[in-house]
Amino acid sequence: MALLSSLLWAGVLDADLPAAQFLTLHTTLEVTSIIVAMLGFGIAWHAYSEDRPGNIAVLGAVLFGTALLDFGHTLSYTGMPELVTPSGPGKAISFWLPARFLVAVGLLVIALRPWQPLKNRYSRHALIGAVLLYVALMYWVILFRPDLVPVFFVPGQGLTPLKVRVEYLLVAIYGTAAWLFYRQSRRNVGFNAADLFAAAAIAGLSELFFTRYGSVTDLVNASGHVYKIVSYYFIYRVVFVDSVHLPFDALHQALSKEKVRAAEQHSFVRTLDLLEEAVLELDRRGRILSANSGWWLLVGTAPMVDTSLLAHVHEEDRSAFELHLVGLVSGQKDEFRGRYRIQTQARPEQWMECRFVVERDDDGEVTGARGVLRDITKSYLQERHITYMALHDALTSLPNRVLLEDRIKQAIQQAARTGNRVGVCFIDLDHFKNINDAYGHKAGDALLLTLSQLLKDCLRDGDTLARWGGDEFVVLLPDLTTADAARQVAQKMVDAMRQTVMLETLVINATFSMGIAVYPDDESSGDIDSLLAQADRAMFYAKSQGRNNFQLFADMSSKGLGKKELYIQTRLAQAIRDQRIAVWYQPQVAARPHVDGRQRLIGVEALARWHDADLGWISPGSFIPMAENLGLIGELGHLVRRQAFEQFRAWRQTHPDLTLAINISKRQLFASDFMLMLLADVERYELDPRSLVLEVTESVALMDVEFAEERLRQLSNAGFTLAIDDFGTGYASLSQLHELPIGELKIDISFVRRVHTAEGLRMAQGIISLAQALRLRTVAEGVEDENTACVLRDLGVDVLQGYYFARPCPASELSALPLFVNGETLAG
């Protein structure tokens, strides 16, 4: 179009049309432009909404005013009938220029104004009113006061300079608007800036035609009208696209999204049906407005109209459910969740987990509720079973520790209010391990079930029998009027246990040891752990008194049982279980040193040590005999043996000729599974039995010669070296020593300490001579100085052990000793 306008401007296409034909052409072009303008106005005005851009309303008002002025221009053209005043070029131009100014200014305003809605709903009416006022003023001046209108055209001469200057002003306004629209189109703004740029640019080209036509009927004039129509078309496109096309696109997209959303909702509903979850819509009265198939499957009935949800809720839960539902539909709460039972024909107890939310209309008024319900019957019953199992013993179904401690707490709180007493009885079956070993764990479990029923039959209503663990039980006796009442219940249980228990083909007589503590007589603070601990202490005291009896904690205090001894008894088992018993080591050196005088380390002895947080170091002479009496020596020995074997395996990497001496108690030696456990530990730690020395006391070795000889021979055949510890304190005969597979005699420390006396020297010499005659190695323990070491060396002792070389110490300290590193003597 710019090229065509250039040709017309240069006069290349200059031509004149006949006046009659041009009038028809002019009228046709103007009517076309009026139609396009009015279409644009109609769309912009009637498609307007408050959220639409206000610039479209500006365009509509401009097009409306322009169409009215173009109508006056059409009727004023040369050859048209008279409109108030005679028609002619000057009158036509007088209507033309106000119309062009209206469009130019309108486009410039739109180019400068942000593309956003009008400030209020009446702005467009004010705008159209202003345009109509402007049009009316132009009509009045041109038709009724032509003397006020400047001269724009002189017949025979053409356009006046004023007319040309006004046209160039219009070109400048259009050009500015076009430049602004062009910049906006490059920034990807949210409106059709490209078409607005085309409209302003083409309108500017149109005005250039009207700066140089010489005749109102020439081709330049006609081309200017055509360009104006094209400009109107682009303005119309902007109005149509923004007011009709874009909303229809948005509507189409919304419909597409709605279609997708509907498909998704349909898919969700089908998925819910697969999951058998119920989705309900309720009115304010709690009646079901709609429900998916999952709901009717859950309740097991055919779909019904206008049924009440409360009618399906279990009668015991109905009042609570109704209270929550009323709070929801009244607007007091926005949602509620819960677990409730519903009444169905399928199952007597059906649990539902539900969540309901309130439904409101656009004004915020509550219209009803929407909810989802899920059948949780299976998981709820499993959860309840798990809760039961968490509080009860799996074998006996008795309360476990957690439930017991809660009941003790409640009983103490009740007793504190009423002034009554609470008894706690700690029961441990006597020699239950022997029953498991002899008859198997299945028989042991059956015995526990039978005994638990026997004990329960002895209790009052309100008493609690709980399984503490293993073969231990605890009885809670609440609401006792006196402490003797606990003694009476305990005696009743002891009497019940005296009967013979029949387990299919087995006949078993079982006994127990019981300790009793009473609140507030024995523990006034109400601390549950302290009360149980005192009952546990009393139980251990009952075991020390020969088992098969019960002891009250108060009776122990009256008998003057030392607190320290009591503490050791009650804490020993826990110390063994928690592996708080440590192993220390004392070196054994060869009596004959190296040629250069360095002592030769040939072995170490493993010794049990116990450090308590409250009492400090506890002597092995105290806790080892106690472990024997309480039946814990097997566990203690196994603990010491595993620690010692693990450390010895590490030492053998650097000292392959080193030996390890370890003490074996009477109970360990005579235990039926001792050989199997010992060999299993040796294999586990990859040790050579020939490097291990098993020490048994003289009294143990000779207590039951026949059985001891058999067991010791088994150990000897397995490769272990056997040693008699504390030799000289028993009554061994030469024949007995000759029969036993002994490889080493360990001289008792009492003889070593007396070697400096004539009598002691003769005793030590006699023991050493006896060992040499039997070809046994001798070990002297308790060597505390060099003089003693020299005497024993001269007497022919093979191995020396004592403080002179090193005190018992942890493995880390022993590994750092010069004696361990390079064989040097460490006097001490």
Side-chain angles (χ1 to χ4, degrees), residues 230-241:
V230 176
S231 174
Y232 280 14
Y233 166 73
F234 280 103
I235 295 176
Y236 169 79
R237 271 179 44 120
V238 172
V239 173
F240 182 83
V241 168

Side-chain angles (χ1 to χ4, degrees), residues 516-535:
I516 305 173
V518 178
Y519 167 85
D521 300 352
D522 301 328
E523 169 52 52
S524 59
S525 66
D527 183 72
I528 297 175
D529 291 336
S530 299
L531 194 63
L532 286 167
Q534 290 172 347

Side-chain angles (χ1 to χ4, degrees), residues 69 101 152 202 207 244 282 395 437 480-481 497 565 572 577 719 737 761 807-808:
L69 291 173
F101 264 109
F152 298 112
I202 294 172
E207 297 307 320
V244 179
L282 309 177
L395 174 64
D437 294 342
L480 299 176
T481 55
M497 291 290 288
E565 182 182 4
L572 180 58
R577 283 194 292 268
L737 287 176
L761 183 62
R807 293 175 177 270

Side-chain angles (χ1 to χ4, degrees), residues 758-780:
E759 181 181 356
L761 183 62
R762 287 195 297 272
M763 290 294 296
Q765 189 172 17
I767 293 173
I768 295 169
S769 299
L770 175 62
Q772 290 175 345
L774 295 175
R775 297 181 180 180
L776 302 177
R777 187 173 68 168
T778 53
V779 180

